[in-house]
């Protein structure tokens, strides 16, 4: 296609709508407005579709975010495998380089057809993405020629080398790896078009729904991984109520994050969580950690009467469905760092409460491997609330509350994963990589300031012998189910007195939102 040439593509209008679908709840507030009762089916050259769907030629001064699709992680190896298949089919594409050079298998070359349609969404005039509006000149125009056919007019000049719109006219819902299989730097003789099923102005919730139906429901992909590939799935009501949907995802994610805290060498909770639920004094159980994470970081927005959601499981702003698109290593690294900051500041504390815990802590009050972890008794002793269910819940809730409310100020959405997540479980290497990256983010200082103020809280457990009767009664309020709310409240009040203006102001906003 020549640069600057006006390109028109014929499309088949495919009607799919049953009268009973009119009973579905459609609403603008949840980005689930009623879609058109039809979609378009057409063929387009692979390179043209790449350019139209926000995948451009790399330019040295172009931000990385403009070079790759933002909705899903791209696996270069997967695209390379598809590229080999396109050129030579199967089984030639699966042969090693040595086998190909041997010349004994040349008869195994086959056509590499890609007959499955790419699923896409065509943006209308005025559409906004990531704060930018699509330019009128970049919009794909659709004109119906009769009841079954339409004509798509592509933006003039989209084939030019410097064509780089802020908002591309096409979003890829499913099939980006097939697009990346066509390397713009290599030339091939012949013509290779891709079939495309394109919706028009499809709301983002319906895009997530399509992705789930195509990739997750029939294939039984790890549901936790699915919520990384399309993060908006984390907040869908139809999945939340499904017996195999978001609720199970949240439990699965909480369990995965707990296991990282137990296993990662940089975690202050390494080998200190009771993963099997055995009677073992002084260790918080895995179940308790999972419950606390589900009540904090992986919580949905609007649980109960609260207006603060989970940093990993809710939209950051009401009715905007702008979930934080961190993957599992990023989420795990954030939790590890939060606990690192708390353990470090508590370990440095010279306050009386910390001194008393150190004075009364003996090997019997410390988990068997705490010495190897070089953890201060003020953090890890059985006499410290930080080693209890209530303390864990308190720290997780207030750090989540604070970072959730301050997410925009901390630019949390700007922390991007640099690379491909190649495994379906969270590995030590990927979490370590995320930790290194996190320490360069603006959130680092905010978390440290929170931890520094939390170290001023009286973390003595009611069982420590040094307490007076009035002090013991004061600490007993944290026991039982009612203790969760009380410790959260008192920790937020403690944060209000922080000398750090950001921490004190955000904690005041959190208290106001929670109605404390």
């Amino acid at each position: 296609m020549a640069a600057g040439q006006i390109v028109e593509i014929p499309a088949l209008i495919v009607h799919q709508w049953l009268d009973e679908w009119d009973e579905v709840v459609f609403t603008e507030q949840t980005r689930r407005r009623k879609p058109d009762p039809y979609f378009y089916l057409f063929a387009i050259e692979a390179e043209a579709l790449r350019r139209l769907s926000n995948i451009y030629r790399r330019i040295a001064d172009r931000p990385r975010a403009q070079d790759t699709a933002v909705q899903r992680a791209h696996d270069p190896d997967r695209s390379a495998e598809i590229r080999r298949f396109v050129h030579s089919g199967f089984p030639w594409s699966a042969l090693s380089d040595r086998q190909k050079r041997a010349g004994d298998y040349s008869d195994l070359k086959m056509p590499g057809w890609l007959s499955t349609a790419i699923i896409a969404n065509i943006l209308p005039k005025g559409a906004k993405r990531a704060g930018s509006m699509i330019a009128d000149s970049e919009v794909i125009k659709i004109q119906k020629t009769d009841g079954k056919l339409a004509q798509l007019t592509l933006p003039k000049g989209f084939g030019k080398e410097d064509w780089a719109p802020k908002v591309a006219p096409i979003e890829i819902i499913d099939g980006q790896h097939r697009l990346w299989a066509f390397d713009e730097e290599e030339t091939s003789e012949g013509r290779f078009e891709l079939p495309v099923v394109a919706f028009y102005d499809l709301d983002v919730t319906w895009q997530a729904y399509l992705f789930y139906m195509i990739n997750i429901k029939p294939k039984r992909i790890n549901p936790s991984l699915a919520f990384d590939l399309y993060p908006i799935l984390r907040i869908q009501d139809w999945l939340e109520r499904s017996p195999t949907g978001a609720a199970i995802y949240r439990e699965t994610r909480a369990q995965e994050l707990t296991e990282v805290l137990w296993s990662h060498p940089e975690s202050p909770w390494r080998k200190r969580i009771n993963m099997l639920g055995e009677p073992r004094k002084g260790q918080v159980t895995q179940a308790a950690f999972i419950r606390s994470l589900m009540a904090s970081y992986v919580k949905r927005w609007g649980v109960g009467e609260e207006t603060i959601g989970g940093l990993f499981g809710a939209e950051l702003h009401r009715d905007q469905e702008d979930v934080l698109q961190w993957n599992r290593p990023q989420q795990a690294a954030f939790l590890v760092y939060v606990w690192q900051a708390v353990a470090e500041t508590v370990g440095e504390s010279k306050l009386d409460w910390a001194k008393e815990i150190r004075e009364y802590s003996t090997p019997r009050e410390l988990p068997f491997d705490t010495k190897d972890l070089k953890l201060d008794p003020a953090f890890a002793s059985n006499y410290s609330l930080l080693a209890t269910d209530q303390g864990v819940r308190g720290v997780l809730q207030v750090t989540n509350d604070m970072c959730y409310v301050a997410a925009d100020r901390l630019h949390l959405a700007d922390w991007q994963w640099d690379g491909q997540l190649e495994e379906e479980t969270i590995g030590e290497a990927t979490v370590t990589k995320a930790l290194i990256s996190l320490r360069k983010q603006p959130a680092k200082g905010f978390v440290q300031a929170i931890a520094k103020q939390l170290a001023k809280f009286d973390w003595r457990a009611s069982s420590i012998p040094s307490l007076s009767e009035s002090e013991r009664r004061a600490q007993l309020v944290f026991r039982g189910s009612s203790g969760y709310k009380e410790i959260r409240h008192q920790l937020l009040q403690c944060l209000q007195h922080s000398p750090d203006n950001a921490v004190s102001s955000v904690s005041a906003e959190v208290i106001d939102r929670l109605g404390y």
Side-chain angles (χ1 to χ4, degrees):
M1 297 181 181
Q5 176 184 355
I6 297 177
V7 179
E8 297 177 343
I9 296 177
L12 180 67
I13 302 174
V14 181
H15 290 266
Q16 282 192 1
W17 195 267
L18 301 179
D19 291 343
E20 59 196 273
W21 296 358
D22 291 326
E23 300 174 5
V24 174
V25 177
F26 301 105
T27 171
E28 292 277 355
Q29 284 69 30
T30 58
R31 304 288 180 90
R32 198 168 74 172
R33 64 177 176 272
K34 190 173 183 178
D36 291 334
Y38 52 81
F39 52 79
Y40 302 95
L41 178 61
F42 59 87
I44 184 172
E45 291 183 12
E47 181 180 341
L49 184 57
R50 280 190 59 169
R51 298 183 66 77
L52 291 166
S53 57
N54 210 15
I55 305 176
Y56 314 115
R57 297 180 188 274
R58 284 188 169 86
I59 298 176
D61 59 354
R62 176 180 294 158
R64 178 178 176 85
Q66 295 181 0
D67 281 342
T68 60
V70 298
Q71 289 183 322
R72 295 185 58 191
H74 173 244
D75 182 350
D77 292 339
R78 183 177 172 192
S79 288
E81 180 183 0
I82 296 174
R83 184 182 305 121
R84 291 191 296 270
F85 169 79
V86 167
H87 282 284
S88 305
F90 183 84
W92 176 268
S93 61
L95 298 179
S96 66
D97 291 339
R98 181 184 61 79
Q99 289 172 322
K100 292 176 181 178
R101 288 193 300 267
D104 297 332
Y105 304 98
S106 58
D107 60 330
L108 295 182
K109 290 185 178 181
M110 304 288 180
W113 288 304
L114 295 178
S115 57
T116 305
I118 304 288
I119 311 298
N121 180 48
I122 299 175
L123 297 186
K125 179 179 178 180
K128 291 184 178 180
R129 294 294 184 270
S132 298
M133 180 183 294
I134 187 170
D136 290 351
S137 60
E138 312 295 356
V139 174
I140 294 175
K141 299 177 182 178
I142 303 177
Q143 182 180 3
K144 296 179 182 178
T145 56
D146 60 34
K148 292 294 294 183
L149 297 175
Q151 181 173 277
L152 278 58
T153 301
L154 305 185
K156 185 178 180 180
F158 82 92
K160 291 182 179 179
E161 186 73 20
D162 60 351
W163 192 78
K166 288 184 178 180
V167 178
I170 291 180
E171 295 174 320
I172 302 300
I173 298 173
D174 185 67
Q176 91 161 339
H177 287 93
R178 277 167 277 167
L179 287 184
W180 271 103
F182 294 88
D183 190 342
E184 291 182 294
E185 302 302 323
E186 77 175 39
T187 57
S188 299
E189 295 184 0
R191 183 176 181 180
F192 201 104
E193 294 181 331
L194 292 172
V196 178
V197 166
F199 293 81
Y200 179 75
D201 193 18
L202 191 66
D203 234 338
V204 65
T205 295
W206 293 124
Q207 293 186 45
Y209 175 76
L210 277 172
F211 173 84
Y212 190 89
M213 291 300 104
I214 294 168
N215 292 284
I216 312 305
K217 186 67 173 70
K219 300 182 181 180
R220 298 297 180 188
I221 294 175
N222 181 338
S224 191
L225 179 61
F227 286 76
D228 283 343
L229 296 178
Y230 222 118
I232 199 171
L233 287 170
R234 300 171 189 167
I235 60 172
Q236 299 308 300
D237 288 333
W238 56 273
L239 271 176
E240 188 70 25
R241 294 196 300 271
S242 168
T244 59
I248 290 180
Y249 147 72
R250 295 180 200 288
E251 292 179 3
T252 302
R253 180 58 55 92
Q255 191 278 328
E256 289 176 327
L257 294 172
T258 299
E259 188 166 340
V260 171
L261 288 171
W262 174 81
S263 65
H264 197 276
E266 295 188 52
S267 169
W269 284 99
R270 178 176 170 82
K271 306 301 182 185
R272 292 183 55 233
I273 301 174
N274 186 347
M275 300 297 284
L276 300 179
E278 300 171 334
R280 190 179 296 170
K281 184 179 179 182
Q283 286 195 317
V284 180
T285 66
Q286 176 180 216
F289 252 100
I290 290 173
R291 287 193 297 268
S292 292
L293 284 169
M294 293 187 70
S296 56
Y297 281 89
V298 297
K299 179 181 62 175
R300 279 214 57 189
W301 185 91
V303 174
E305 298 299 320
E306 291 194 8
T307 59
I308 295 178
L311 198 63
F312 307 156
E315 54 268 61
L316 297 178
H317 304 91
R318 187 174 183 178
D319 297 334
Q320 291 190 27
E321 297 196 346
D322 52 343
V323 293
L324 202 60
Q325 299 198 21
W326 291 355
N327 60 26
R328 288 167 297 167
Q330 289 175 289
Q331 294 175 5
F334 193 84
L335 289 177
V336 170
Y337 185 73
V338 163
W339 283 110
Q340 282 180 331
V342 172
E344 181 179 346
T345 55
V346 166
E348 294 172 350
S349 177
K350 301 296 190 294
L351 296 178
D352 289 343
W353 72 265
K355 292 179 180 178
E356 284 187 26
I357 291 179
R358 295 182 189 119
E359 178 183 352
Y360 282 91
S361 293
T362 65
R364 188 168 59 85
E365 277 75 40
L366 295 172
F368 65 92
D369 58 355
T370 302
K371 293 181 180 178
D372 296 334
L373 297 174
K374 300 178 181 179
L375 293 175
D376 192 278
F379 177 79
S381 167
N382 290 339
Y383 287 142
S384 171
L385 282 172
L386 286 164
T388 68
D389 184 3
Q390 282 75 14
V392 167
R393 178 78 62 93
V395 170
L396 290 176
Q397 284 189 317
V398 298
T399 54
N400 174 78
D401 294 339
M402 296 287 289
C403 293
Y404 179 91
V405 170
D408 291 342
R409 282 162 275 188
L410 298 175
H411 304 285
L412 296 184
D414 293 340
W415 183 30
Q416 301 289 325
W417 178 256
D418 184 19
Q420 167 62 26
L421 184 60
E422 299 177 351
E423 52 190 318
E424 291 196 0
T425 56
I426 311 175
E428 179 182 317
T430 54
V431 175
T432 300
K433 177 182 177 181
L435 269 170
I436 294 172
S437 175
L438 175 61
R439 294 187 180 110
K440 302 174 184 177
Q441 301 301 313
K444 172 187 175 182
F446 187 68
V447 171
Q448 288 178 330
I450 291 174
K452 188 173 182 179
Q453 187 64 19
L454 289 180
K456 298 177 183 179
F457 187 76
D458 185 352
W459 289 103
R460 292 176 299 174
S462 60
S463 58
I464 190 170
S466 61
L467 294 182
S468 65
E469 184 58 28
S470 60
E471 288 175 328
R472 190 180 72 85
R473 284 198 299 268
Q475 298 305 91
L476 279 173
V477 300
F478 301 129
R479 301 190 67 175
S481 58
S482 61
Y484 297 135
K485 182 176 181 179
E486 184 62 33
I487 196 168
R488 184 184 188 185
H489 188 189
Q490 290 197 26
L491 289 176
L492 288 171
Q493 288 181 319
C494 174
L495 292 174
Q496 269 198 292
H497 296 93
S498 170
D500 186 285
N501 291 333
V503 171
S504 60
S505 62
V506 171
S507 61
E509 183 177 347
V510 170
I511 289 173
D512 181 63
R513 285 204 197 185
L514 296 177
Y516 285 164

